Amino acid sequence: MADQETPEHTETPEAPTVRPKRVSHRGRSAAPSASSNKDEGSIPEFEAFGQLPRGVPPLSEYLDIWDVDMVKQRHEVNKQSHHTHLYASDHLIVRRAQQFQMKITFNRPYKPKEDKFAVEFVIGASPQYSKGTYIPVFPTEERQSTWRGQVIESNDNVVTMGITTAHDCIVGKYGMYVAVVTRYGIRRTRRDPNWDLYIIFNPWSPGDSVFLDDEEQREEYVMNELGIIYHGAYDDISERAWNYGQFEFGILDACLFIMDKADMPLTNRGDPVKISRKASAMLNSRDDEGVLVGNWSGDYIYGVAPTSWTGSVEILLNYASSGGLPVCYAQCWVYAAVFNTFLRCLGIPGRVVTNYFSAHDNDGNLKMDIILDDNGKVDRNRTKDSIWNYHCWNECYMTRPDLPEGFGGWQVVDATPQETSDGMYRCGPASVAAIKHGQVCYPFDASFVFAEVNSDVVFYRRDKEGTLQPVKVNTSHVGRMVLTKAVLHDGRKDITEQYKFPEGSPEERRVLEKAEEFGCQREKASVPEGDVTVEIAALEVQLGDDFELVLEFTNRSSQHRTVDIYISGSVVYYTGVPSAEVVLKTPTVKVDPQQSKKKSVLVHSKDYQSELVEQGNLHFIATGKVKETGQIITAMRLINVHNPRLTVQVAGSPRVSEEMYVTVEFTNPFKFRLENVYVRLEGPGIMSIHTKQYSMIGPGTTISWTERFSPRRAGTTKLMASLDCAALRQVYGETEITIQP
């Protein structure tokens, strides 16, 4: 993997280039490769067994199909038993490796000993039995194909068929025909789009490769439309609500369109490993005109600011309806959230994960280098590696038949375009178990994810001759905490132990040694432990506050110590890249033997507020040199500056189809006005996306916006809102609401 994307980079769609005309498949294959679910093959209504000199003869003695009932209503058995009743679709949606029913009405009662018929399913432009794109299903035990069929009930002219798809069949949208065998040939029903059905993955079936043997986890990681995405700092965690909206109208078609846009062969679409890897490339637009354009620059005039989105639905529908025009703009949590919608919509268990202090460098090693000058001051011109304050990726649950036993389960996939993998911006799926045990040789990209959670922060002192000498190694800073949403409630689940053994444990040392065997490089220099340490105390800061930064020096020696310390505070992007230095202090601190001493630095809001970029992070680093011993001491602290919040309130009778009202309020607490302010509001199952623009909100001014809505379905959900403008990003509010039937 190579070529890191820096936060200043804006990923813009490239200007159209003249491309060579796509050549025909002639001379290389008998038919074009089937890589589009949308394309349909031509299925004849009558397929003769031989030459018929006078055309199709009368077939009145044979079965004729009068009607087909796909049993596709939400309250009926198919959608209820297949857990697909929440999808806003008029078509039948079923999960593979599980029986579904359909009712066929013939012109007369069905006679099993005399009549021969089959239900045929086709997908793609050139359906073939050998490719799994044409599947005939027969009603008798004597004749079966890869999908099993049986007559459940025969009542007068109506036959109820039970059909069980294969556990590894292609996921997508199928056409359906009923074919009757006659003496002269096969007679089929006409093409009817109302009989189309979708087949998706089935985490409820032990035969499916995404089987998840825990009902509560299935409810969370497949069925839950509401998400919480964690950001901020590991010791001052912030969270934002997200509407995954995997069941909303058009989302399933949009997910299938993404695979079509990628020219993904239909024959690969039954394998969750291949689908998740392809999707990790297609969710970003870097090299394949994928879904989202990345932008870390702060300039979002040509699109929607990443902090403004509240859900995935608008993004996916815009991409599909435009024929594949990338949507502007995204950062890591937007990529992860939309990817999670894609996974859950197709039936693959998925969750969004946040790694605090995530290492991103392109050297392929396990070192994040910070260069100090001879006096212990950070040399920002030579310090190039960045540690993201947090980074969001996805995990999806599946077996890994391509890996040794024990490496199935949760797999890391990441759509944020950071580095290339096999020539494309993508990452994963990488086995979490392989990452934990240092088996980074296994596909895909396990070594990159391993470095994200296991790298060391190495401070080097650069002398006047340019020689670098390691002076301190921090082995616990990177991968400080890995979080995801808890199962079926709004709490947090710490999954750090699934990625790494405890710091300093014998298991951790063995894992690092194993990773080194596969080429991961570490700093092995032994840095002597000093007798003076410095720590920066944690604190919570609201935007606009003055605050006091407290450093505590501890002298464990029996002699006096004098420290020349450099205290640098910078506004940083959440990617760790500095934007502007706003604090620089150089005090000298004297510490008595076996004592501690505190040193305070006052930080004024006027120093940092005008320089803040979105997500308001201040990064303080203290580095210095002990005069008596020459020891270098260091400390780092990320301060997450908190923004004001929106107030969201609802009124009215909380019942399906009843009229309700939601009000969003915000007061500008600052001494400056906010201009070109956008407010977004949505709620899964109850309210589609609404937006409102305010040209200006003056200091101390309160805005109030009320919208009317009628809930579409019962259950507990949320209404979530965001406010966004150039001067103030990442302002959120939400309220939970329970809708009665």
Side-chain angles (χ1 to χ4, degrees):
M1 303 179 77
D3 302 335
Q4 178 184 359
E5 175 174 324
T6 60
E8 292 86 0
H9 176 83
T10 303
E11 189 190 320
T12 54
E14 296 180 2
T17 56
V18 178
R19 296 183 178 178
K21 182 180 178 181
R22 177 172 288 191
V23 297
S24 167
H25 66 276
R26 289 179 61 188
R28 187 176 186 274
S29 59
S33 174
S35 59
S36 174
N37 198 162
K38 189 175 181 180
D39 294 342
E40 296 180 1
S42 178
I43 308 296
E45 287 186 40
F46 187 81
E47 193 173 339
F49 290 147
Q51 293 292 329
L52 298 176
R54 300 179 182 273
V56 180
L59 301 174
S60 55
E61 62 183 289
Y62 297 99
L63 279 178
D64 193 11
I65 299 93
W66 281 3
D67 187 36
V68 176
D69 178 4
M70 298 300 290
V71 194
K72 60 185 180 181
Q73 300 303 314
R74 292 186 184 183
H75 64 275
E76 293 181 306
V77 62
N78 283 338
K79 287 189 174 181
Q80 288 293 323
S81 64
H82 284 254
H83 309 276
T84 58
H85 56 287
L86 295 179
Y87 284 87
S89 174
D90 293 332
H91 287 95
L92 177 61
I93 303 171
V94 295
R95 300 184 187 274
R96 60 187 194 177
Q98 181 177 338
Q99 186 182 83
F100 66 92
Q101 297 180 15
M102 57 185 294
K103 296 180 180 180
I104 307 169
T105 302
F106 294 109
N107 62 328
R108 59 170 174 77
Y110 166 61
K111 303 172 184 177
K113 294 183 179 180
E114 299 177 15
D115 299 323
K116 294 181 180 180
F117 77 93
V119 181
E120 299 177 323
F121 297 90
V122 298
I123 184 170
S126 305
Q128 296 175 262
Y129 182 79
S130 61
K131 303 291 187 184
T133 53
Y134 164 75
I135 306 98
V137 182
F138 304 99
T140 59
E141 283 290 335
E142 292 77 28
R143 191 175 184 193
Q144 292 292 340
S145 67
T146 54
W147 298 10
R148 298 188 62 80
Q150 66 177 115
V151 174
I152 296 176
E153 184 182 9
S154 183
N155 187 5
D156 292 333
N157 296 7
V158 180
V159 171
T160 301
M161 277 276 289
I163 297 171
T164 305
T165 60
H167 66 88
D168 57 355
C169 73
I170 294 168
V171 165
K173 185 178 183 180
Y174 287 77
M176 192 281 297
Y177 301 84
V178 180
V180 175
V181 179
T182 74
R183 177 180 171 187
Y184 308 101
I186 298 173
R187 177 171 63 184
R188 290 187 177 87
T189 51
R190 290 182 177 178
R191 172 83 177 96
D192 189 339
N194 293 315
W195 298 345
D196 290 349
L197 75 159
Y198 297 84
I199 298 176
I200 58 177
F201 290 100
N202 191 355
W204 281 265
S205 171
D208 200 303
S209 52
V210 301
F211 174 60
L212 180 59
D213 192 15
D214 186 302
E215 180 56 31
E216 288 192 346
Q217 290 191 32
R218 291 192 292 254
E219 282 296 314
E220 176 66 43
Y221 300 135
V222 181
M223 301 298 290
N224 196 353
E225 294 176 278
L226 292 167
I228 295 176
I229 300 173
Y230 300 103
H231 58 108
Y234 86 96
D235 52 1
D236 185 13
I237 295 166
S238 299
E239 52 189 55
R240 61 168 66 86
W242 192 273
N243 173 21
Y244 295 128
Q246 66 266 34
F247 305 125
E248 295 292 332
F249 180 80
I251 296 301
L252 180 53
D253 283 321
C255 294
L256 299 181
F257 171 76
I258 289 170
M259 292 190 282
D260 285 354
K261 183 74 173 175
D263 280 333
M264 184 178 188
L266 293 176
T267 51
N268 289 347
R269 299 192 193 184
D271 185 344
V273 175
K274 292 177 180 176
I275 285 181
S276 60
R277 181 153 176 80
K278 179 64 73 174
S280 76
M282 280 302 298
L283 265 295
N284 70 72
S285 65
R286 278 300 295 269
D287 42 25
D288 47 19
E289 297 180 339
V291 177
L292 283 159
V293 179
N295 187 347
W296 284 259
S297 71
D299 180 5
Y300 309 120
I301 191 170
Y302 296 112
V304 176
T307 47
S308 185
W309 300 112
T310 49
S312 307
V313 175
E314 185 180 5
I315 294 170
L316 288 169
L317 293 183
N318 284 352
Y319 181 72
S321 63
S322 68
L325 186 66
V327 179
C328 302
Y329 292 106
Q331 292 175 6
C332 72
W333 72 91
V334 183
Y335 286 116
V338 177
F339 201 166
N340 210 51
T341 300
F342 176 90
L343 293 168
R344 291 187 183 183
C345 184
L346 293 180
I348 302 173
R351 61 190 185 187
V352 175
V353 166
T354 300
N355 177 36
Y356 285 96
F357 294 131
S358 192
H360 291 245
D361 82 325
N362 55 11
D363 298 334
N365 57 29
L366 297 177
K367 299 186 297 180
M368 305 301 295
D369 303 336
I370 297 178
I371 313 301
L372 311 177
D373 65 18
D374 204 31
N375 295 316
K377 182 182 178 182
V378 175
D379 186 340
R380 296 199 177 275
N381 292 325
R382 290 185 169 86
T383 299
K384 302 298 183 184
D385 290 348
S386 66
I387 302 171
W388 293 31
N389 301 335
Y390 69 90
H391 178 51
C392 298
W393 60 64
N394 300 83
E395 288 181 1
C396 49
Y397 197 89
M398 62 188 67
T399 60
R400 288 297 299 270
D402 56 324
L403 302 183
E405 189 175 349
F407 293 116
W410 290 111
Q411 312 288 316
V412 172
V413 284
D414 191 350
T416 302
Q418 303 164 83
E419 321 232 340
T420 56
S421 170
D422 296 334
M424 298 185 73
Y425 283 94
R426 57 186 169 186
C427 180
S431 165
V432 174
I435 293 163
K436 180 173 183 177
H437 291 89
Q439 300 284 356
V440 297
C441 59
Y442 294 129
F444 297 90
D445 312 312
S447 59
F448 179 74
V449 184
F450 184 86
E452 287 184 296
V453 296
N454 284 294
S455 291
D456 296 337
V457 180
V458 184
F459 293 85
Y460 291 93
R461 179 164 57 189
R462 185 177 186 273
D463 61 24
K464 295 176 182 178
E465 288 76 33
T467 303
L468 295 179
Q469 177 68 33
V471 292
K472 185 174 181 181
V473 179
N474 187 332
T475 61
S476 61
H477 184 73
V478 169
R480 186 69 64 91
M481 182 188 295
V482 185
L483 284 184
T484 191
K485 179 185 175 298
V487 173
L488 297 186
H489 65 84
D490 285 351
R492 306 164 188 160
K493 180 177 177 62
D494 187 336
I495 56 172
T496 312
E497 83 287 346
Q498 296 184 23
Y499 281 83
K500 55 203 292 190
F501 290 100
E503 295 286 346
S505 65
E507 294 90 350
E508 187 213 21
R509 284 196 298 272
R510 284 196 294 270
V511 165
L512 292 172
E513 290 168 1
K514 175 65 70 175
E516 285 183 280
E517 293 177 13
F518 296 118
C520 292
Q521 302 172 9
R522 297 172 59 221
E523 178 56 62
K524 297 182 180 180
S526 176
V527 179
E529 187 73 23
D531 52 26
V532 178
T533 59
V534 61
E535 296 288 338
I536 303 175
L539 71 165
E540 187 172 310
V541 176
Q542 298 295 322
L543 182 59
D545 286 355
D546 298 340
F547 63 92
E548 207 171 61
L549 189 75
V550 178
L551 289 78
E552 184 171 4
F553 297 82
T554 302
N555 178 8
R556 295 195 299 270
S557 76
S558 57
Q559 299 175 348
H560 291 276
R561 292 289 184 252
T562 305
V563 182
D564 290 327
I565 194 82
Y566 293 88
I567 305 168
S568 172
S570 297
V571 170
V572 293
Y573 296 88
Y574 85 94
T575 54
V577 173
S579 171
E581 189 173 59
V582 295
V583 174
L584 179 60
K585 303 290 184 182
T586 58
T588 297
V589 180
K590 295 183 178 181
V591 192
D592 293 333
Q594 302 294 326
Q595 295 293 316
S596 295
K597 186 172 184 178
K598 292 183 178 180
K599 175 68 179 179
S600 297
V601 175
L602 184 61
V603 181
H604 297 279
S605 63
K606 63 181 177 61
D607 295 330
Y608 69 83
Q609 187 160 325
S610 63
E611 299 288 349
L612 275 180
V613 293
E614 69 239 42
Q615 304 200 50
N617 292 311
L618 295 171
H619 186 256
F620 289 89
I621 182 167
T623 59
K625 187 176 182 180
V626 180
K627 283 187 176 180
E628 291 81 4
T629 63
Q631 175 200 346
I632 297 292
I633 61 173
T634 67
M636 294 183 290
R637 172 67 61 188
L638 178 72
I639 294 178
N640 183 30
V641 181
H642 293 266
N643 288 332
R645 289 188 62 83
L646 295 174
T647 301
V648 183
Q649 295 179 318
V650 294
S653 175
R655 293 187 176 277
V656 172
S657 300
E658 292 285 329
E659 192 172 85
M660 296 187 69
Y661 296 88
V662 56
T663 300
V664 180
E665 288 189 353
F666 173 76
T667 300
N668 179 3
F670 307 114
K671 297 177 181 178
F672 54 88
R673 64 185 186 180
L674 304 175
E675 298 179 341
N676 294 321
V677 180
Y678 287 87
V679 183
R680 307 171 80 83
L681 176 65
E682 67 177 307
I686 57 173
M687 186 180 189
S688 58
I689 185 77
H690 286 65
T691 61
K692 190 173 181 65
Q693 182 183 8
Y694 294 88
S695 57
M696 189 268 289
I697 304 176
T701 301
T702 298
I703 60 166
S704 181
W705 170 33
T706 300
E707 280 286 345
R708 188 169 51 188
F709 68 98
S710 297
R712 301 190 300 274
R713 64 171 186 254
T716 299
T717 184
K718 288 181 181 179
L719 281 162
M720 52 196 77
S722 73
L723 179 145
D724 193 88
C725 65
L728 183 64
R729 308 270 187 209
Q730 200 160 265
V731 178
Y732 300 111
E734 64 186 73
T735 187
E736 188 170 273
I737 178 172
T738 299
I739 305 298
Q740 302 298 328

